Amino acid sequence: MSNTPVTEHHEVVVVGGGQAGLAIGYHLAQQGADFTILEAADRPAAAWRDRWDSLRLFTSARYDSLPGLAFPGEPDRYPTRDEVADYLTDYASRLDLPVELSSPVHAVRRENGGYRVELHDRAYEADQVVIATGPFQTPFVPALAERLPDHVVHLHSTAYRSPASLPEGRILVVGGGNTGFQIADELAGSHEVHLSIGSRQTPLPQRIAGRDLFWYLDRTGLLSKTTESRIGRRMSGRDTLIGSTPRGLRKRGVQTHGRTVDATGSTVRFDDGTQVDVDGVVWATGFRTDHSWIDVPVFDESGRPVHRRGVTESAGLYFLGLSWQHTRGSALLGWVKEDAEHIAREIASFQAREADPELIAGAS
Ligand SMILES: Cc1cc2nc3c(=O)[nH]c(=O)nc-3n(C[C@H](O)[C@H](O)[C@H](O)COP(=O)(O)OP(=O)(O)OC[C@H]3O[C@@H](n4cnc5c(N)ncnc54)[C@H](O)[C@@H]3O)c2cc1C
């Protein structure tokens, strides 16, 4: 444990100032709680600003609002990356949320019945802590990337900005999710593109009969199916491809392959027996979560947080914004507010119990 002195005490410390951290911040402010939001990056909306230049949301503006402030503009359009970053920045400032930038948290531990939240230059004491550090944290690149020779430029999708990020010639995009499909589609305008699809995802159209896909998901109640329901369990195990299909991409000239299995020199091989000589590779191979800095026993043997709708067994410790934390919407802009509201209620009742345990015991 570090000896950094505790400089402040707060009822609640929120770790992470993305959409999840801001959404819980909104509710905490409404409740009049004493709280702060610690954000590692030196600017707001860092996760969105770090995504590729041409990114457009797959949720229309109608479904991109956090609590208390509507996403601006025409509701049926699909906002750009920069519009989301600007909206989140504006959100924090208009609602006057206490976001401390350049404040990466290195450790959260149990101390004196509450929590000690450690940064490199200071430590905070908190009665309750919300971990809102994002569903997509550490870029994952398969080990075979190390076998590629120096002259093959290869980067994770988080480092991809535009076709200019890559050399001329033949580019392999590895990963058959939304990111892989969208980057392959963009590169098809300027490069010979190959896409390696490890496991097929169910393609869903972006719009059906003039309406956005999420309108149907919402109206049919699919977005409120929880991980505890049978259909929710089935949906959470199956990723979906929104607005793209392998066929559509092939029409754009992209050649599709099976799972990437090996590389020798600049030749990459796939499990369908095909191979290709590449000049560049984009690893759209997803992320791993890293909660190793949270020194509280709330994880299973594979390091996943054990919780019920974000509430852990360690009193006063919560997660928010995890993928499928409660429903499909848990890690989406327009739906994170529902879990945020739930956690905010838990926080309020914890605070009330702490303030007057006898009153609460008497009432039950
Ligand atoms: C390519 C892509 C496209 C997407 N498109 C859509 C879409 O169209 N519509 C939609 O609704 N959703 C979309 N999502 C999903 C989701 O909305 C985003 O991933 C969103 O960024 C998640 O918000 P968050 O606040 O949970 O996490 P993040 O935005 O990742 O924010 C977490 C914050 O925590 C900070 N942090 C991390 N660790 C620490 C630490 N130890 N100490 C302090 N701060 C820390 C980070 O710097 C970051 O700012 C997309 C996701 C991706 C990857």
Side-chain angles (χ1 to χ4, degrees), residues 3-64:
N3 295 324
T4 318
V6 169
T7 51
E8 284 175 36
H9 174 272
H10 290 282
E11 285 172 4
V12 187
V13 166
V14 178
V15 186
Q19 68 208 32
L22 298 180
I24 188 77
Y26 168 85
H27 288 289
L28 294 174
Q30 295 279 306
Q31 287 170 194
D34 156 36
F35 72 104
T36 190
I37 302 175
L38 301 175
E39 166 54 50
D42 59 2
R43 56 191 185 152
W48 283 102
R49 288 189 205 281
D50 283 348
R51 290 174 182 152
W52 67 93
D53 296 349
S54 67
L55 175 91
R56 267 190 190 276
L57 295 196
F58 53 75
T59 45
S60 62
R62 177 188 310 284
Y63 299 116
D64 296 330

Side-chain angles (χ1 to χ4, degrees), residues 181-250:
F181 269 74
Q182 285 181 29
I183 292 177
D185 184 56
E186 173 166 72
L187 287 168
S190 51
H191 290 75
E192 177 185 328
V193 183
H194 295 254
L195 176 68
S196 163
I197 304 174
S199 49
R200 295 214 171 244
Q201 304 194 352
T202 315
L204 295 173
Q206 179 81 77
R207 298 188 78 81
I208 307 160
R211 284 196 192 276
D212 183 70
L213 168 70
F214 283 85
W215 184 87
Y216 292 95
L217 295 177
D218 199 26
R219 286 299 162 106
T220 52
L222 281 174
L223 273 175
S224 19
K225 295 289 175 205
T226 72
T227 43
E228 281 156 15
S229 69
R230 207 155 60 113
I231 187 158
R233 274 200 305 278
R234 276 218 332 253
M235 279 163 63
S236 63
R238 210 183 282 173
D239 281 327
T240 48
L241 199 54
I242 299 174
S244 316
T245 59
R247 201 155 146 240
L249 219 49
R250 282 196 286 269

Side-chain angles (χ1 to χ4, degrees), residues 15-275:
V15 186
Q19 68 208 32
L22 298 180
I24 188 77
Y26 168 85
H27 288 289
L28 294 174
Q30 295 279 306
Q31 287 170 194
D34 156 36
F35 72 104
T36 190
I37 302 175
L38 301 175
E39 166 54 50
D42 59 2
R43 56 191 185 152
W48 283 102
R49 288 189 205 281
D50 283 348
R51 290 174 182 152
W52 67 93
D53 296 349
S54 67
L55 175 91
R56 267 190 190 276
L57 295 196
F58 53 75
T59 45
S60 62
R62 177 188 310 284
Y63 299 116
D64 296 330
S65 303
L66 295 183
L69 184 68
F71 199 97
E74 208 277 309
D76 273 331
R77 82 207 149 79
Y78 296 90
T80 62
R81 171 200 72 175
D82 291 343
E83 281 179 85
V84 183
D86 290 347
Y87 168 72
L88 294 179
T89 307
D90 190 41
Y91 185 86
S93 97
R94 289 199 17 202
L95 299 174
D96 204 17
L97 297 177
V99 182
E100 299 181 52
L101 296 173
S102 304
S103 301
V105 171
H106 295 312
V108 173
R109 310 177 199 284
R110 267 301 210 176
E111 193 174 83
N112 301 333
Y115 295 92
R116 178 183 163 89
V117 179
E118 286 176 14
L119 294 87
H120 71 275
D121 56 348
R122 60 198 194 279
Y124 291 175
E125 223 170 47
D127 303 336
Q128 307 192 68
V129 173
V130 181
I131 308 293
T133 48
F136 305 114
Q137 295 176 335
T138 312
F140 170 74
V141 172
L144 66 87
E146 282 170 22
R147 274 182 250 154
L148 290 171
D150 289 348
H151 64 86
V152 173
V153 173
H154 61 107
L155 37 91
H156 187 264
S157 58
T158 46
Y160 173 82
R161 290 287 161 275
S162 71
S165 305
L166 292 157
E168 286 178 5
R170 195 176 293 134
I171 305 298
L172 169 67
V173 179
V174 181
N178 289 295
T179 297
F181 269 74
Q182 285 181 29
I183 292 177
D185 184 56
E186 173 166 72
L187 287 168
S190 51
H191 290 75
E192 177 185 328
V193 183
H194 295 254
L195 176 68
S196 163
I197 304 174
S199 49
R200 295 214 171 244
Q201 304 194 352
T202 315
L204 295 173
Q206 179 81 77
R207 298 188 78 81
I208 307 160
R211 284 196 192 276
D212 183 70
L213 168 70
F214 283 85
W215 184 87
Y216 292 95
L217 295 177
D218 199 26
R219 286 299 162 106
T220 52
L222 281 174
L223 273 175
S224 19
K225 295 289 175 205
T226 72
T227 43
E228 281 156 15
S229 69
R230 207 155 60 113
I231 187 158
R233 274 200 305 278
R234 276 218 332 253
M235 279 163 63
S236 63
R238 210 183 282 173
D239 281 327
T240 48
L241 199 54
I242 299 174
S244 316
T245 59
R247 201 155 146 240
L249 219 49
R250 282 196 286 269
K251 277 199 195 148
R252 298 256 299 132
V254 174
Q255 297 175 51
T256 54
H257 302 269
R259 179 177 293 276
T260 300
V261 286
D262 200 9
T264 316
S266 54
T267 305
V268 180
R269 273 182 287 282
F270 310 99
D271 70 354
D272 56 8
T274 60
Q275 60 180 53

